[in-house]
Every structure is written in structure tokens, then in C-alpha cells.
Amino acid sequence: MAPTPRRTQVGIIGAGPAGLFLAHLLHRQGIESVIIESRGRAEIEGTIRAGVLEQWTVDLMNGMGLGARMMREAHFHSGITLRFNGESHHIDMEELTGGKRVTVYAQHEVIRDLVAARLEDGGKIRFGVRDVRLLDLDGDTPLIAYRTAEGEEVLLRCDYVAGCDGFHGPSRQAIPASARTEYQKIYPFGWLGILTEAPPSHPELIYARHDRGFALLSTRSPEIQRLYIQCDPQDDIANWSDDRIWAELHTRLETRDGWRLTEGPVFQKGIIAMRSFVCDPMQHGRLFLAGDAAHIVPPTGAKGLNLAVADVLVLSRALAAFYREGRRDLLAGYSATCLRRIWKAERFSWYMTTMLHRNEQETPFEQRIRLADLDYVVHSRAAATALAENYVGLPIE
């Protein structure tokens, strides 16, 4: 005998930033939702990922009462440093954008805050589910079928489904292939990232272009720093000893004026590939995609989490208009509204990535163009302003 369907207004698949932010936004509008997540709570809170939050994202968290720990523990950066040809150039984003800045606060810390607040509010998160299927997406009450960690079969009837389950989740695949277009670029390089126990070497992020490849210096806390170097995405991390990593970081980051990088014990390292991806449209029937289920950006532009939050902010407003006024126009326009911002973020992330990375497939002419682009950015107020306003976050429409 089939189980009796349970009921909610919005079924959310995925307890990453998109799903959790959406649940909180809906809760504040009096809209009920249930989150289902394939991983356990400890896993989603323990997966260490960097995070750079745009100004409006920080303002949103504070406005929702979710930013107290962030404001105590995060790092607030008024600018970034671009480094090339052995010289450093400060981009004062706060001055160029009328007071906006970015906040360095790791994504898993954001998730911890959102999960704790969701559960404190009495919200529903079902961890460890499996065999998720989406049914009747073209009907008035779509169905999410799944099994609990204990093996119980559950049917969840919804008015709408939000697919916030990442690139490999079932939501995007539930849209017929003939009904979606996927755009993708695979970059011929990856990032080797490390976490190290060391004091900060610099007060802000450093983005460096070097003949040996890109490097990035960031921070996690006063005691822990995060650094990256460009590498072959197919390389084996076993080929990279700590000594080899530090040698590359020193070479790529140090300058003619004697600035030195501070070393420390490495306690985590790994290699990630880089790509850009967009699914169009981001909706089908009563299913709406958000976050990595719909789009991926290379990390160079620091846009991933912020784009996910922008998606669900648009979606929450559209759902609120439906439940309050019976309006469907904002839901119908969800994909088009989100994609305007997404493609601008994709452009900026591609721009930062191609400008700063050494690509062996490029001609010497193209490599010189990249250096000319950097030189233009650091010597033109107009160019620096364009970079700064994209980096701190374009206005929310």
C-alpha cells in the first residue's frame, strides 16, 4: 500500500545556501516549506568551502537576524590587491563604490548559522534522504518522492518545488532535455588549494598573475589562511608535497619590494577543476532551479554563493506575490529575471579568470593582451570602478 502523501506549500530539495536561504525567506512571509537533503547535518556543516559575501548578501543576513556570528567572526575587506610583473596594486573597492565592501566568511559557516536558525524556528529539514524523484511537475500539486535514512517511503505534495540540489542533483534532470539548453565552458586549468595554520601575510585578498600561473592569498581566521595556485586539473595531489606548494606560492606571490609570504603547517589540500555552466530556462512547470542546480561560476569572481542567494530572493518574492495576491506573473518571469544577473556574473567570473590565469593554449599575443588588461584596470579609475562594482555585487533589481 502506497504511503499517504504529506503536504507542504513549497518543497525544497537541498540544504545548501540556496535551499536554506529560501526556507528562511519563505518563513518570514508565512509560507510553509520542507527541506530534504541527501547528506547528513554533520557532512553539510563540515564540508569546508571558502566564501566571499557581497555587500547586499551581508545586509540581507543582518536584516533577517542571521548575521550575529558573521559580524563577530568574519573579515571585512575594503579592497583587493592585484599583483603582476612583481608589483602590487590596491583596488579600493569601498572608495570606488560609495562605501561597499566584501565579507570573507566561509560558506560552511553560513550553512551552520542557517541550519541552527532554521531548526530553532521549528523549520523542517529532513537529512539523509535518498532515491529522490520529482513527479507531476506540470500539475497543480507536484510530488516529491523519497526514502528516509531509515528506509521509509515518503510522498510530499507541494504547490511548488525548488530544486536547490546542486549540479549533480535530480532537479535539473527532471526538466526534459528537449526543454532546456545548457551552456558550458571547461577551463584548461584548476586550483590547488591549501589551508594552513599561519598568521595573515596581507590584510586583504591578493590575486596574482605570474608566468608560472595564477595564485590567490585569502584568509579564514587570524590563525588559518587559505591559498591557491593554478595547476593541471588532472594532476594528482600526491605529486604536490608541502615544500613544492610553498615554493610555487613564494614564486608567484612575492614582489620586488621584498614582501614575504608567511608559511605554516598545511592541514588540508586538494585540487578542483574549473568550469562555467548555465541552464536555460531555470523553471519547468512548478519546478524552479536555484544555485548550482542552474549555474556554476569559476571561483575567481567570488560569485557562487551570492548568485544562489539572489536566485532564491527573486523566487521568494514571486511566491509571496502568489500566496498574497494570487499573482503568477513573477513566477512566470523567474528564469528571465535571474538569468539577467547570472549572465553578468558569468561574464565577470570569466573575465577575472582569463585575465589572471596563464593559459598554455593562448598565443603570446593573447598573453600580452591579458597583461595590458591588468595594467589598464590598475591605472584607469573607470576600469577599476567597473571591476569593483561587480566584485562587491551589482544591485538587486
Side-chain angles (χ1 to χ4, degrees), residues 8 61 74 80 108 171 182 189 204 233 254 308 360 383:
T8 191
M61 288 187 67
I80 61 173
H108 60 278
S171 295
E182 296 185 351
F189 37 73
E204 61 190 20
E254 289 176 3
E360 297 299 332

mmCIF file with all atom_site columns, all heavy atoms in Angstrom, residues 8 61 74 80 108 171 182 189 204 233 254 308 360 383:
data_model
loop_
_atom_site.group_PDB
_atom_site.id
_atom_site.type_symbol
_atom_site.label_atom_id
_atom_site.label_alt_id
_atom_site.label_comp_id
_atom_site.label_asym_id
_atom_site.label_entity_id
_atom_site.label_seq_id
_atom_site.pdbx_PDB_ins_code
_atom_site.Cartn_x
_atom_site.Cartn_y
_atom_site.Cartn_z
_atom_site.occupancy
_atom_site.B_iso_or_equiv
_atom_site.pdbx_formal_charge
_atom_site.auth_seq_id
_atom_site.auth_comp_id
_atom_site.auth_asym_id
_atom_site.auth_atom_id
_atom_site.pdbx_PDB_model_num
ATOM 1   N N   . THR A 1 8   ? 2.945  20.215 1.989   1.00 0.00 ? 8   THR A N   1
ATOM 2   C CA  . THR A 1 8   ? 3.549  21.491 2.339   1.00 0.00 ? 8   THR A CA  1
ATOM 3   C C   . THR A 1 8   ? 3.317  22.439 1.173   1.00 0.00 ? 8   THR A C   1
ATOM 4   O O   . THR A 1 8   ? 2.903  22.014 0.084   1.00 0.00 ? 8   THR A O   1
ATOM 5   C CB  . THR A 1 8   ? 5.057  21.339 2.639   1.00 0.00 ? 8   THR A CB  1
ATOM 6   O OG1 . THR A 1 8   ? 5.548  22.554 3.218   1.00 0.00 ? 8   THR A OG1 1
ATOM 7   C CG2 . THR A 1 8   ? 5.849  21.058 1.361   1.00 0.00 ? 8   THR A CG2 1
ATOM 8   N N   . MET A 1 61  ? 21.465 39.053 5.362   1.00 0.00 ? 61  MET A N   1
ATOM 9   C CA  . MET A 1 61  ? 21.597 38.207 6.546   1.00 0.00 ? 61  MET A CA  1
ATOM 10  C C   . MET A 1 61  ? 21.343 38.994 7.820   1.00 0.00 ? 61  MET A C   1
ATOM 11  O O   . MET A 1 61  ? 20.643 38.526 8.733   1.00 0.00 ? 61  MET A O   1
ATOM 12  C CB  . MET A 1 61  ? 22.983 37.561 6.583   1.00 0.00 ? 61  MET A CB  1
ATOM 13  C CG  . MET A 1 61  ? 23.189 36.470 5.557   1.00 0.00 ? 61  MET A CG  1
ATOM 14  S SD  . MET A 1 61  ? 24.758 35.585 5.758   1.00 0.00 ? 61  MET A SD  1
ATOM 15  C CE  . MET A 1 61  ? 24.502 34.723 7.319   1.00 0.00 ? 61  MET A CE  1
ATOM 16  N N   . ALA A 1 74  ? 33.754 37.310 11.033  1.00 0.00 ? 74  ALA A N   1
ATOM 17  C CA  . ALA A 1 74  ? 34.167 37.443 9.634   1.00 0.00 ? 74  ALA A CA  1
ATOM 18  C C   . ALA A 1 74  ? 35.256 38.494 9.476   1.00 0.00 ? 74  ALA A C   1
ATOM 19  O O   . ALA A 1 74  ? 35.578 39.250 10.406  1.00 0.00 ? 74  ALA A O   1
ATOM 20  C CB  . ALA A 1 74  ? 32.960 37.801 8.780   1.00 0.00 ? 74  ALA A CB  1
ATOM 21  N N   . ILE A 1 80  ? 40.871 44.761 -2.746  1.00 0.00 ? 80  ILE A N   1
ATOM 22  C CA  . ILE A 1 80  ? 41.695 43.611 -3.098  1.00 0.00 ? 80  ILE A CA  1
ATOM 23  C C   . ILE A 1 80  ? 43.000 44.124 -3.669  1.00 0.00 ? 80  ILE A C   1
ATOM 24  O O   . ILE A 1 80  ? 43.125 45.299 -4.036  1.00 0.00 ? 80  ILE A O   1
ATOM 25  C CB  . ILE A 1 80  ? 41.003 42.680 -4.123  1.00 0.00 ? 80  ILE A CB  1
ATOM 26  C CG1 . ILE A 1 80  ? 40.712 43.437 -5.429  1.00 0.00 ? 80  ILE A CG1 1
ATOM 27  C CG2 . ILE A 1 80  ? 39.735 42.072 -3.539  1.00 0.00 ? 80  ILE A CG2 1
ATOM 28  C CD1 . ILE A 1 80  ? 40.196 42.542 -6.552  1.00 0.00 ? 80  ILE A CD1 1
ATOM 29  N N   . HIS A 1 108 ? 30.652 27.157 4.679   1.00 0.00 ? 108 HIS A N   1
ATOM 30  C CA  . HIS A 1 108 ? 30.146 26.201 5.673   1.00 0.00 ? 108 HIS A CA  1
ATOM 31  C C   . HIS A 1 108 ? 29.763 26.889 6.979   1.00 0.00 ? 108 HIS A C   1
ATOM 32  O O   . HIS A 1 108 ? 28.909 26.382 7.720   1.00 0.00 ? 108 HIS A O   1
ATOM 33  C CB  . HIS A 1 108 ? 31.170 25.086 5.929   1.00 0.00 ? 108 HIS A CB  1
ATOM 34  C CG  . HIS A 1 108 ? 32.490 25.556 6.435   1.00 0.00 ? 108 HIS A CG  1
ATOM 35  N ND1 . HIS A 1 108 ? 33.479 26.053 5.621   1.00 0.00 ? 108 HIS A ND1 1
ATOM 36  C CD2 . HIS A 1 108 ? 32.991 25.612 7.699   1.00 0.00 ? 108 HIS A CD2 1
ATOM 37  C CE1 . HIS A 1 108 ? 34.523 26.382 6.347   1.00 0.00 ? 108 HIS A CE1 1
ATOM 38  N NE2 . HIS A 1 108 ? 34.259 26.137 7.599   1.00 0.00 ? 108 HIS A NE2 1
ATOM 39  N N   . SER A 1 171 ? 17.032 17.505 -9.671  1.00 0.00 ? 171 SER A N   1
ATOM 40  C CA  . SER A 1 171 ? 16.070 18.523 -10.096 1.00 0.00 ? 171 SER A CA  1
ATOM 41  C C   . SER A 1 171 ? 16.245 18.932 -11.551 1.00 0.00 ? 171 SER A C   1
ATOM 42  O O   . SER A 1 171 ? 15.279 18.936 -12.329 1.00 0.00 ? 171 SER A O   1
ATOM 43  C CB  . SER A 1 171 ? 16.171 19.751 -9.186  1.00 0.00 ? 171 SER A CB  1
ATOM 44  O OG  . SER A 1 171 ? 15.789 19.432 -7.866  1.00 0.00 ? 171 SER A OG  1
ATOM 45  N N   . GLU A 1 182 ? 21.766 23.915 -22.231 1.00 0.00 ? 182 GLU A N   1
ATOM 46  C CA  . GLU A 1 182 ? 22.845 24.021 -21.254 1.00 0.00 ? 182 GLU A CA  1
ATOM 47  C C   . GLU A 1 182 ? 24.087 24.603 -21.925 1.00 0.00 ? 182 GLU A C   1
ATOM 48  O O   . GLU A 1 182 ? 24.521 24.121 -22.974 1.00 0.00 ? 182 GLU A O   1
ATOM 49  C CB  . GLU A 1 182 ? 23.135 22.651 -20.639 1.00 0.00 ? 182 GLU A CB  1
ATOM 50  C CG  . GLU A 1 182 ? 21.944 22.121 -19.851 1.00 0.00 ? 182 GLU A CG  1
ATOM 51  C CD  . GLU A 1 182 ? 22.226 20.819 -19.129 1.00 0.00 ? 182 GLU A CD  1
ATOM 52  O OE1 . GLU A 1 182 ? 23.312 20.230 -19.373 1.00 0.00 ? 182 GLU A OE1 1
ATOM 53  O OE2 . GLU A 1 182 ? 21.381 20.395 -18.325 1.00 0.00 ? 182 GLU A OE2 1
ATOM 54  N N   . PHE A 1 189 ? 42.574 24.623 -16.782 1.00 0.00 ? 189 PHE A N   1
ATOM 55  C CA  . PHE A 1 189 ? 43.388 24.689 -15.564 1.00 0.00 ? 189 PHE A CA  1
ATOM 56  C C   . PHE A 1 189 ? 42.482 24.509 -14.356 1.00 0.00 ? 189 PHE A C   1
ATOM 57  O O   . PHE A 1 189 ? 41.256 24.652 -14.443 1.00 0.00 ? 189 PHE A O   1
ATOM 58  C CB  . PHE A 1 189 ? 44.149 26.012 -15.463 1.00 0.00 ? 189 PHE A CB  1
ATOM 59  C CG  . PHE A 1 189 ? 43.392 27.213 -15.952 1.00 0.00 ? 189 PHE A CG  1
ATOM 60  C CD1 . PHE A 1 189 ? 42.341 27.751 -15.214 1.00 0.00 ? 189 PHE A CD1 1
ATOM 61  C CD2 . PHE A 1 189 ? 43.691 27.795 -17.170 1.00 0.00 ? 189 PHE A CD2 1
ATOM 62  C CE1 . PHE A 1 189 ? 41.628 28.842 -15.665 1.00 0.00 ? 189 PHE A CE1 1
ATOM 63  C CE2 . PHE A 1 189 ? 42.984 28.891 -17.636 1.00 0.00 ? 189 PHE A CE2 1
ATOM 64  C CZ  . PHE A 1 189 ? 41.954 29.422 -16.884 1.00 0.00 ? 189 PHE A CZ  1
ATOM 65  N N   . GLU A 1 204 ? 44.341 41.837 2.954   1.00 0.00 ? 204 GLU A N   1
ATOM 66  C CA  . GLU A 1 204 ? 43.241 41.609 2.020   1.00 0.00 ? 204 GLU A CA  1
ATOM 67  C C   . GLU A 1 204 ? 43.625 40.537 1.015   1.00 0.00 ? 204 GLU A C   1
ATOM 68  O O   . GLU A 1 204 ? 44.771 40.065 0.989   1.00 0.00 ? 204 GLU A O   1
ATOM 69  C CB  . GLU A 1 204 ? 42.875 42.907 1.294   1.00 0.00 ? 204 GLU A CB  1
ATOM 70  C CG  . GLU A 1 204 ? 44.007 43.488 0.456   1.00 0.00 ? 204 GLU A CG  1
ATOM 71  C CD  . GLU A 1 204 ? 43.711 44.891 -0.060  1.00 0.00 ? 204 GLU A CD  1
ATOM 72  O OE1 . GLU A 1 204 ? 42.831 45.571 0.523   1.00 0.00 ? 204 GLU A OE1 1
ATOM 73  O OE2 . GLU A 1 204 ? 44.361 45.308 -1.028  1.00 0.00 ? 204 GLU A OE2 1
ATOM 74  N N   . PRO A 1 233 ? 44.205 20.469 -13.823 1.00 0.00 ? 233 PRO A N   1
ATOM 75  C CA  . PRO A 1 233 ? 43.086 19.890 -13.061 1.00 0.00 ? 233 PRO A CA  1
ATOM 76  C C   . PRO A 1 233 ? 43.136 18.366 -12.980 1.00 0.00 ? 233 PRO A C   1
ATOM 77  O O   . PRO A 1 233 ? 42.494 17.771 -12.111 1.00 0.00 ? 233 PRO A O   1
ATOM 78  C CB  . PRO A 1 233 ? 41.852 20.361 -13.832 1.00 0.00 ? 233 PRO A CB  1
ATOM 79  C CG  . PRO A 1 233 ? 42.338 20.652 -15.207 1.00 0.00 ? 233 PRO A CG  1
ATOM 80  C CD  . PRO A 1 233 ? 43.738 21.157 -15.035 1.00 0.00 ? 233 PRO A CD  1
ATOM 81  N N   . GLU A 1 254 ? 55.372 36.645 -4.370  1.00 0.00 ? 254 GLU A N   1
ATOM 82  C CA  . GLU A 1 254 ? 56.301 37.633 -3.825  1.00 0.00 ? 254 GLU A CA  1
ATOM 83  C C   . GLU A 1 254 ? 56.645 38.706 -4.847  1.00 0.00 ? 254 GLU A C   1
ATOM 84  O O   . GLU A 1 254 ? 56.516 38.509 -6.041  1.00 0.00 ? 254 GLU A O   1
ATOM 85  C CB  . GLU A 1 254 ? 57.533 36.929 -3.261  1.00 0.00 ? 254 GLU A CB  1
ATOM 86  C CG  . GLU A 1 254 ? 57.156 36.179 -1.979  1.00 0.00 ? 254 GLU A CG  1
ATOM 87  C CD  . GLU A 1 254 ? 58.283 35.361 -1.394  1.00 0.00 ? 254 GLU A CD  1
ATOM 88  O OE1 . GLU A 1 254 ? 59.399 35.409 -1.943  1.00 0.00 ? 254 GLU A OE1 1
ATOM 89  O OE2 . GLU A 1 254 ? 58.044 34.672 -0.390  1.00 0.00 ? 254 GLU A OE2 1
ATOM 90  N N   . ALA A 1 308 ? 23.412 32.211 -5.780  1.00 0.00 ? 308 ALA A N   1
ATOM 91  C CA  . ALA A 1 308 ? 22.386 31.321 -5.219  1.00 0.00 ? 308 ALA A CA  1
ATOM 92  C C   . ALA A 1 308 ? 21.398 32.104 -4.364  1.00 0.00 ? 308 ALA A C   1
ATOM 93  O O   . ALA A 1 308 ? 20.175 31.895 -4.449  1.00 0.00 ? 308 ALA A O   1
ATOM 94  C CB  . ALA A 1 308 ? 23.049 30.215 -4.400  1.00 0.00 ? 308 ALA A CB  1
ATOM 95  N N   . GLU A 1 360 ? 48.134 27.927 -21.437 1.00 0.00 ? 360 GLU A N   1
ATOM 96  C CA  . GLU A 1 360 ? 49.120 27.458 -22.406 1.00 0.00 ? 360 GLU A CA  1
ATOM 97  C C   . GLU A 1 360 ? 48.562 27.403 -23.822 1.00 0.00 ? 360 GLU A C   1
ATOM 98  O O   . GLU A 1 360 ? 49.313 27.340 -24.794 1.00 0.00 ? 360 GLU A O   1
ATOM 99  C CB  . GLU A 1 360 ? 49.634 26.078 -21.991 1.00 0.00 ? 360 GLU A CB  1
ATOM 100 C CG  . GLU A 1 360 ? 50.375 26.053 -20.664 1.00 0.00 ? 360 GLU A CG  1
ATOM 101 C CD  . GLU A 1 360 ? 51.620 26.937 -20.664 1.00 0.00 ? 360 GLU A CD  1
ATOM 102 O OE1 . GLU A 1 360 ? 52.210 27.127 -21.756 1.00 0.00 ? 360 GLU A OE1 1
ATOM 103 O OE2 . GLU A 1 360 ? 51.996 27.440 -19.593 1.00 0.00 ? 360 GLU A OE2 1
ATOM 104 N N   . ALA A 1 383 ? 37.955 51.768 -15.249 1.00 0.00 ? 383 ALA A N   1
ATOM 105 C CA  . ALA A 1 383 ? 38.095 50.315 -15.301 1.00 0.00 ? 383 ALA A CA  1
ATOM 106 C C   . ALA A 1 383 ? 38.100 49.714 -13.894 1.00 0.00 ? 383 ALA A C   1
ATOM 107 O O   . ALA A 1 383 ? 37.494 48.664 -13.655 1.00 0.00 ? 383 ALA A O   1
ATOM 108 C CB  . ALA A 1 383 ? 39.377 49.936 -16.043 1.00 0.00 ? 383 ALA A CB  1
#
